[in-house]
Amino acid sequence: VSTRWHDHPELVDRLAAAYVAGTLRGPAARRLLRLAERHRGVALALADWSGRLAPLFDTLPEAPLPAPRWQSPAPTPSSSRELGGGGWRAWVLTRPLAGLALGLAMGLALPPLWQALRPAAPAPSLLPESYVGVLATPQGSPGLIVSALRRGREMELKTLAPLTVPAGLQPYLWRIDKAGQVSPVAAVPGAGVQKFVRLPLPGEAEALFFPAVELAVSLEPAGAQPAQPSGVFVYRGLCGKFWRV
Amino acid sequence: VQADVSDLLARIALRDAAAMDRLYRQVGGRLLAIALRVLGDRSQAEDVLHEVMSGLWAQRTPALAAQPLTLAWLQVVTRNRAIDLLRKRRPEEPLSWRDSDGDEHAHDTASPHAGPPELLHERQLDANLARCLQGLAGEPRRALQLAFLDGLSHTQISARMQRPLGTVKAWTRRALLGLRACMEGA
């Protein structure tokens, strides 16, 4: 018999019901939420109870919305870091720009750096034609570098900001085209966990990455072949094409 | 509406600012109503709405493993953020008080209008839930409503309803079990 309470469905269900009803408070509630991030049984129980009881919220008369806070003057770069300053709308609009700037800066800095750090052995003056994605974490810091030779059938992933991957899930790589359409690329086990992994691509890199303007990684059930991400992205950033023209 | 909101939530996960705007217009008033009901203070309720929306964009909304984000979960998160804020108030703050103009206020006054089951029927929102709520005894149903909609703890419900704490705990638990059995047996 398991001694872990979250292995007991009846207990999980009771706690999830109490949480959604609003009667589970304090450390117990926080523990349940932390477990829900990693354990599908706990997450499912909370989702079930939310769906069951949430219609009760619809009995409340809708409140008139306040004037949006984002109509306040645009925040300065320093104040935009504080959510309370310019409002979430300002933050929403500045965050992708910060990500874009980070991606561009790293995209420009990495090739010369790579050249500079390579051994003194004779080296070509230019990188081989490659796809390189520089992905940031949701907090905007460098997270993961994805690279593949243009005609290659493998990709390499270097973790800059490690992830905690819950049991039963694995990182999954997506491409995002210029229309914002998200398409699956492949599961990338080890990405975000191991410092460096080399993985086979399900096709030639040119076919997989040519439409991509961005790459992103979400956490999906292990073994699944999802058509769309089921949750939030844990990494996301620009995908560059390193060749002339 | 739910399908629409699910689509918007998926687009927000992809950093679609237009979807964020649309979601705010579409469900902001409902989320604000939830926070307002718990807090009884519009300014603080707006703070909660702002925090929930900011958290949604920053992907700080409490995650459920392998489950898509739903409006139902966002509503629960909003209610719980409001409860957290309520708990930060001075503990001696009464449940009802009179302001400087002499007007009476209360955090959890019973609605003079129809209760949730009747409102669910009226608005044709969820016939199954309404029917099952109707099937609960009056006091357990009231205790569940005070917890779920008004954000009151077991202790506060006990004080409000003048019933022993153990009785209130048993009521809410049995009400939840009864609701589920009724809704799943429908």
Side-chain angles (χ1 to χ4, degrees), chain B residues 1 5 10 12 33 36 38-39 41 52 55 58 81 98 100 115 122 127 133 155 158 160 175:
Chain B
V1 172
V5 170
I12 289 166
L36 192 55
V38 172
L39 291 160
D41 178 298
V52 168
R81 289 303 302 136
R98 190 186 298 270
S100 55
E122 270 177 26
L133 273 173
T155 308
S158 166
R160 163 64 58 178

Short mmCIF file of all heavy atoms in Angstrom, two decimals, chain B residues 1 5 10 12 33 36 38-39 41 52 55 58 81 98 100 115 122 127 133 155 158 160 175:
data_model
loop_
_atom_site.label_atom_id
_atom_site.label_comp_id
_atom_site.label_asym_id
_atom_site.label_seq_id
_atom_site.Cartn_x
_atom_site.Cartn_y
_atom_site.Cartn_z
N VAL B 1 -19.46 29.93 -25.62
CA VAL B 1 -18.50 30.86 -25.02
C VAL B 1 -17.26 30.11 -24.56
O VAL B 1 -16.13 30.55 -24.78
CB VAL B 1 -19.16 31.59 -23.83
CG1 VAL B 1 -18.12 32.41 -23.06
CG2 VAL B 1 -20.26 32.52 -24.32
N VAL B 5 -13.42 30.81 -25.38
CA VAL B 5 -12.45 31.17 -24.34
C VAL B 5 -11.27 30.20 -24.38
O VAL B 5 -10.11 30.61 -24.23
CB VAL B 5 -13.13 31.15 -22.95
CG1 VAL B 5 -12.10 31.26 -21.84
CG2 VAL B 5 -14.13 32.29 -22.85
N ALA B 10 -5.57 29.39 -25.45
CA ALA B 10 -4.49 28.72 -26.20
C ALA B 10 -3.66 29.77 -26.95
O ALA B 10 -2.43 29.67 -27.00
CB ALA B 10 -5.08 27.71 -27.17
N ILE B 12 -3.28 32.89 -26.09
CA ILE B 12 -2.51 33.68 -25.12
C ILE B 12 -1.23 32.92 -24.73
O ILE B 12 -0.17 33.54 -24.56
CB ILE B 12 -3.37 33.98 -23.88
CG1 ILE B 12 -4.45 35.00 -24.26
CG2 ILE B 12 -2.53 34.51 -22.73
CD1 ILE B 12 -5.56 35.13 -23.24
N ALA B 33 -16.50 40.08 -11.03
CA ALA B 33 -17.66 39.82 -10.17
C ALA B 33 -17.32 38.81 -9.08
O ALA B 33 -17.76 38.93 -7.93
CB ALA B 33 -18.82 39.30 -11.03
N LEU B 36 -15.14 40.55 -6.55
CA LEU B 36 -15.95 41.56 -5.86
C LEU B 36 -16.85 40.91 -4.82
O LEU B 36 -17.04 41.43 -3.72
CB LEU B 36 -16.78 42.32 -6.90
CG LEU B 36 -17.49 43.59 -6.46
CD1 LEU B 36 -16.52 44.57 -5.84
CD2 LEU B 36 -18.19 44.23 -7.66
N VAL B 38 -16.27 38.22 -3.10
CA VAL B 38 -15.48 37.80 -1.94
C VAL B 38 -15.01 39.01 -1.14
O VAL B 38 -15.10 39.04 0.09
CB VAL B 38 -14.26 36.97 -2.40
CG1 VAL B 38 -13.32 36.69 -1.23
CG2 VAL B 38 -14.72 35.65 -3.02
N LEU B 39 -14.52 40.04 -1.85
CA LEU B 39 -13.86 41.15 -1.17
C LEU B 39 -14.81 42.26 -0.76
O LEU B 39 -14.56 42.98 0.20
CB LEU B 39 -12.76 41.73 -2.09
CG LEU B 39 -11.56 40.80 -2.30
CD1 LEU B 39 -10.78 41.19 -3.54
CD2 LEU B 39 -10.66 40.83 -1.08
N ASP B 41 -15.13 44.96 -2.16
CA ASP B 41 -14.42 46.23 -2.34
C ASP B 41 -13.96 46.27 -3.80
O ASP B 41 -13.14 45.46 -4.22
CB ASP B 41 -13.21 46.29 -1.39
CG ASP B 41 -12.40 47.57 -1.57
OD1 ASP B 41 -11.87 47.79 -2.68
OD2 ASP B 41 -12.30 48.33 -0.61
N VAL B 52 -4.61 38.53 -11.78
CA VAL B 52 -4.92 37.27 -12.47
C VAL B 52 -4.59 37.40 -13.96
O VAL B 52 -4.00 36.49 -14.57
CB VAL B 52 -6.41 36.90 -12.27
CG1 VAL B 52 -6.83 35.78 -13.21
CG2 VAL B 52 -6.65 36.49 -10.82
N GLY B 55 -0.85 37.48 -14.40
CA GLY B 55 -0.32 36.14 -14.18
C GLY B 55 -0.58 35.22 -15.35
O GLY B 55 0.23 34.37 -15.70
N ALA B 58 1.93 36.06 -17.95
CA ALA B 58 3.28 35.67 -17.53
C ALA B 58 3.38 34.17 -17.30
O ALA B 58 4.43 33.68 -16.87
CB ALA B 58 3.65 36.41 -16.25
N ARG B 81 -7.46 33.94 -5.23
CA ARG B 81 -6.62 35.12 -5.05
C ARG B 81 -7.37 36.16 -4.20
O ARG B 81 -6.78 36.84 -3.37
CB ARG B 81 -6.24 35.74 -6.41
CG ARG B 81 -5.26 34.96 -7.22
CD ARG B 81 -3.96 34.70 -6.49
NE ARG B 81 -3.30 35.92 -6.07
CZ ARG B 81 -2.74 36.11 -4.87
NH1 ARG B 81 -2.79 35.15 -3.96
NH2 ARG B 81 -2.15 37.25 -4.58
N ARG B 98 -20.46 49.60 9.42
CA ARG B 98 -21.16 50.79 8.95
C ARG B 98 -20.10 51.82 8.54
O ARG B 98 -19.15 52.06 9.29
CB ARG B 98 -22.01 51.36 10.10
CG ARG B 98 -22.96 52.47 9.66
CD ARG B 98 -23.64 53.05 10.89
NE ARG B 98 -24.46 52.07 11.61
CZ ARG B 98 -25.75 51.86 11.35
NH1 ARG B 98 -26.35 52.56 10.41
NH2 ARG B 98 -26.43 50.98 12.04
N SER B 100 -18.63 55.67 7.03
CA SER B 100 -18.73 57.02 7.60
C SER B 100 -20.04 57.71 7.22
O SER B 100 -20.47 58.65 7.89
CB SER B 100 -17.54 57.85 7.15
OG SER B 100 -17.47 57.84 5.74
N GLY B 115 -31.62 32.34 -4.93
CA GLY B 115 -30.34 31.70 -4.66
C GLY B 115 -29.76 31.09 -5.93
O GLY B 115 -30.42 31.11 -6.98
N GLU B 122 -33.05 30.24 -13.96
CA GLU B 122 -33.47 31.46 -14.65
C GLU B 122 -32.61 31.73 -15.87
O GLU B 122 -33.08 32.08 -16.93
CB GLU B 122 -33.34 32.66 -13.71
CG GLU B 122 -34.56 32.96 -12.89
CD GLU B 122 -34.29 34.12 -11.94
OE1 GLU B 122 -33.42 34.94 -12.25
OE2 GLU B 122 -34.96 34.17 -10.89
N ALA B 127 -28.50 23.26 -16.15
CA ALA B 127 -29.70 22.65 -15.59
C ALA B 127 -29.36 21.51 -14.65
O ALA B 127 -30.01 21.32 -13.61
CB ALA B 127 -30.60 22.15 -16.72
N LEU B 133 -28.30 20.96 -7.07
CA LEU B 133 -28.26 21.89 -5.94
C LEU B 133 -29.60 21.91 -5.22
O LEU B 133 -29.66 21.94 -3.99
CB LEU B 133 -27.93 23.30 -6.44
CG LEU B 133 -26.45 23.67 -6.57
CD1 LEU B 133 -26.31 25.03 -7.22
CD2 LEU B 133 -25.76 23.67 -5.22
N THR B 155 -14.70 28.11 9.61
CA THR B 155 -14.90 28.82 10.88
C THR B 155 -15.85 30.01 10.69
O THR B 155 -16.75 30.25 11.52
CB THR B 155 -13.54 29.31 11.42
OG1 THR B 155 -12.65 28.20 11.44
CG2 THR B 155 -13.67 29.90 12.81
N SER B 158 -19.33 28.80 10.20
CA SER B 158 -19.87 28.36 11.48
C SER B 158 -20.40 29.57 12.28
O SER B 158 -21.51 29.53 12.85
CB SER B 158 -18.76 27.64 12.26
OG SER B 158 -19.12 27.48 13.59
N ARG B 160 -21.23 32.53 11.03
CA ARG B 160 -22.32 33.16 10.27
C ARG B 160 -23.63 32.40 10.44
O ARG B 160 -24.69 32.99 10.62
CB ARG B 160 -21.91 33.22 8.80
CG ARG B 160 -23.02 33.46 7.80
CD ARG B 160 -23.68 34.79 7.95
NE ARG B 160 -22.74 35.89 7.83
CZ ARG B 160 -23.11 37.17 7.91
NH1 ARG B 160 -24.38 37.47 8.11
NH2 ARG B 160 -22.23 38.12 7.78
N ALA B 175 -22.26 17.89 1.00
CA ALA B 175 -22.88 18.61 -0.13
C ALA B 175 -22.08 18.37 -1.41
O ALA B 175 -22.66 18.14 -2.48
CB ALA B 175 -22.94 20.11 0.19
#
